[in-house]
Structure formats: C-alpha cells, structure tokens
Amino acid sequence: MIPASGSYRLANAHVHRSLTPELAASFDAEGFALAELTVAGGKIVSIVAHAKPNAEANAIDLAGRIVLPCFVDCHTHIDKGHIWPRKPNPDGTFMGALNATGADRAARWSAEDVARRMDFSLRSAYAHGTKAVRTHLDSVPPQEEISWPVFEAMRKKWRGRIDLQAACLLGIEGVRDKTWFERLAKRVAAAKGVLGVVTYMVPDLEELLDKVFAEAIKHGLDLDFHADETDDVAAISLKKIAEASLWNGFEGNILVGHCCSLARQPDLEVLDTLDKVAKARLAVVSLPMCNLYLQDRRNNGTTPRWRGVTLLHEMKARGIKVAVASDNTRDPFYAYGDLDMLEVYRMATRILHFDHPVGDWPRAVAATPAEVMRLEDAGMLAVGGSADFIVFKGRSWTELLSRPESDRIVVREGRAIERQLPDYSELDELMVG
C-alpha cells in the first residue's frame, strides 16, 4: 500500500537503466536493477541501488516489481475519439476513415460533443498512468473556431494531472489560403500550441512547406507533421520536410508521425532520407496499432503482407529521436484502443521487435517524447523530480508485457490515485440521433 501522505521508501523496485540514468548499479541483461526509491513531499528524494528488504517501518518491499515513470503520449487525436459507435469505418481503409470522420465532424462536432469525448479520453489516459498528452485538433474551417477553445478549457481543467498540448491538423493544401493559414497560425500561437499539417506529394509541396516553416518561425512554434501514411513508394514527404527544415534554418522541434512508405522504398532512397532527417534533427513517432489496422488492408480475400510501421531501428542507429504513441482511439481510423501506453509499448515490442535486446527502447514511451514536447519533469525517474510513476505486478519484461496489468498502481506526486476508468455508457447519448 502506498501511504496517502508523508514519506516512504519503495525497496526492491526493479527500475530500468534507460529511464533511471542517475542510478549507479549493476544492471541485468534486460536493463533492470534493484533499487530503493525514497519519496517525500511529492518528490523523489533518492534512488539508490538496493538488493535487500528494508526492515524499517516505512519501507515497502516491492519484491522485484517493475517501477516505470508515468507515460508520455505524444501523438493522439482525442477530438476524434470514441465516435466509432455512430460513425464506423465502412471498410477499414484509410479513405474510409477519412471520409467517415469528415462526415461526422461536419454533422456532430459541437463544442459540447468534442469536450465530453476529450474529457472521457483524458480520464482513460490518466487512469492508465499517462502524465502528458499531445493531441492533434482537426482545424479545417469552421472546426478550428470550435475545437481550440474547447482544448484551452480542457487544458486548464486537467492542469496538474495531465500536461496537455495541441497541434493543429489540416491537409497541406489548406496552406494555399495564405490569409486563413496565417490567421490559424496566430490562433495556435495564442493557445501555446504546435503548428501541424498533413503532407502529401502535391506538385507545390516544397512551396507550401516553406510557408509552414515561415509561420512557425514567425510565431516561435514547434512543428508536428503527419507524413507518408501510405504504402506508395513515391511518397517521400518525410525527406521533403527534412530538406525544408535545413534550407529554412529551422531551430525548433519537429516531430513527424507515421512515415509508413519509408519501409517500402529502395535502400538508396531510405539512406538518403535518413541522412537528411538526422541532419535536420527531426524526431519520428510511429503509431504501430493504428498503422497495423489501416495499412495494406485489402478487402479482397487476401492477407496483409506488411506491418505498416516505419524504420525506427535504422533511425535510432543514426541518433534520430524515435517514439511510439497511441494515435486514434475508437474512431474510423482505429476501432480499438484506450490510450493505454503500456498496450502501445507491448504492441510495439511485438510489431517493431523492441527486444533481443531491449536496449533503451523504453525511452520511446517516456523520456524521448518528453524531450520532444519540451517537458522538464516527465519521462524519467530522477532525484528531485515529481514522484510520478507506475508500480506494476510484472518483475521482468516477459511478465510485464504478457498481461494487461489492469491492477497497476499509478502514483502522482507521491500518492496513489484512484484508477477509475470511465464507462462507455457515459457517451451513449452522444451516439444517437
């Protein structure tokens, strides 16, 4: 039992090398070491190597249970979340998702509708142990005037529980309307958001990217792109984004999501792209569950032949920051999910082979996205940092990743929270009419 207040020690906690950099210990082949964490005043006041149970009254013996920092989910769409019951994907394809979402947005996305679904999503993420979320907000007219005020209210409501960021989301063709896009960038800047677009291989892509970078530089905004969410080998907008960053001398953070087509391209094309991505200091997030669901869906009686994920191993080998995230949740782009980053990491381990060795892949759901999102007190177990962590039953990766861990203990500022997942029935009235 985690005390409701006061100081305490967690003895024999299994912590991971990649997420506990200050610990001087002998780590095993999976990267774990036994440690004792001391918590006081909502902070971690010490982390020391410790292999024997502590006999003191305020010491809790975890007997080797894994302790990880709270998760950071850097690519979500909580404005779309949970519309599946009223607007499912008719065929499971990307275009089916795009069309279904567009129709639902035009017909149903009032401020109340968006707010209730966003709050439902955040309660789920919080209960699972997520500390920070970046969500994309559909920002095509007139939705930007509805969703951004809702986001600002939601950020205020959740302050102290989830650090909430937002990036605008629109197709790159929307940048052609210079006056409107400048107004949107100003709106995003006023909300302390991130400038984001979806890139396609349109004839004027380079010119449009220059306009995006110009607005980001003008307003001091970071950038977040959806890129190449397709199996088309001709889709090379990831490389175009890197080139645009270099020739514009951009100094902010850039996160690029999906990049699926890269895994289908010839080796020389891949090498050229990765060299430019590394030079431009781009970060890349793969969305393994959503892309596994959408990519290579055939609907002709044949089985999908590829996984839909991008080349994270090759990227990390070049020093490129890489992450995985939830993406969509129970909407036409992904029929499942619950913003549980343990599920994301479990699926990523299986789909992307985050094992043999595990190495520092756990950073992909904690420390690395925290860096990309400029969060100073998240993603690590650190002395002096907030006591925000998760205590699992599993004592090894194979134990942790084999079960849902629905009885995990989520600790925020040193106190175990009440992990109450919202009931789907709360949204029933939004799904009719």
Side-chain angles (χ1 to χ4, degrees), residues 79 82-83 85-87 100-117 143 146-147 427-433:
D79 61 339
H82 302 286
I83 66 173
R86 72 189 189 201
K87 201 66 176 178
T101 300
D104 191 76
R105 181 179 61 237
R108 305 291 292 271
W109 289 22
S110 65
E112 180 185 3
D113 177 74
V114 173
R116 287 183 61 182
R117 292 185 291 100
Q143 194 62 44
I146 299 171
S147 293
L427 300 177
D428 284 353
E429 64 183 282
L430 298 180
M431 303 302 145
V432 298

Side-chain angles (χ1 to χ4, degrees), residues 62-79:
L62 295 184
R65 293 167 70 168
I66 291 172
V67 176
L68 298 179
C70 284
F71 298 119
V72 179
D73 202 346
C74 66
H75 184 123
T76 70
H77 294 265
I78 63 174
D79 61 339

Side-chain angles (χ1 to χ4, degrees), residues 381-403:
L381 297 175
V383 175
S386 294
D388 297 331
F389 52 80
I390 311 166
V391 181
F392 297 99
K393 279 283 187 71
R395 299 164 299 172
S396 62
W397 288 120
T398 184
E399 289 185 1
L400 178 66
L401 301 181
S402 294
R403 291 180 175 172

Side-chain angles (χ1 to χ4, degrees), residues 121-141:
S121 296
L122 291 170
R123 282 187 285 154
S124 300
Y126 181 68
H128 289 309
T130 289
K131 178 176 179 175
V133 169
R134 176 180 290 181
T135 182
H136 296 270
L137 297 178
D138 281 20
S139 296
V140 295

Side-chain angles (χ1 to χ4, degrees), residues 18 72 90 117 213 220 257 266 292 330 427:
S18 65
V72 179
R117 292 185 291 100
F213 276 91
L292 192 71
R330 298 185 66 245
L427 300 177

Side-chain angles (χ1 to χ4, degrees), residues 118 231 300 335 353:
M118 287 179 71
D231 63 356
N300 62 359
H353 291 169

Side-chain angles (χ1 to χ4, degrees), residues 3 27-28 73 92 94 165 167 174 180 209 260 305 329 334 372:
F27 294 90
D28 64 22
D73 202 346
F94 184 87
Q165 292 185 0
W180 175 82
L209 284 173
C260 306
R305 307 283 175 90
T329 306
Y334 184 55
V372 173

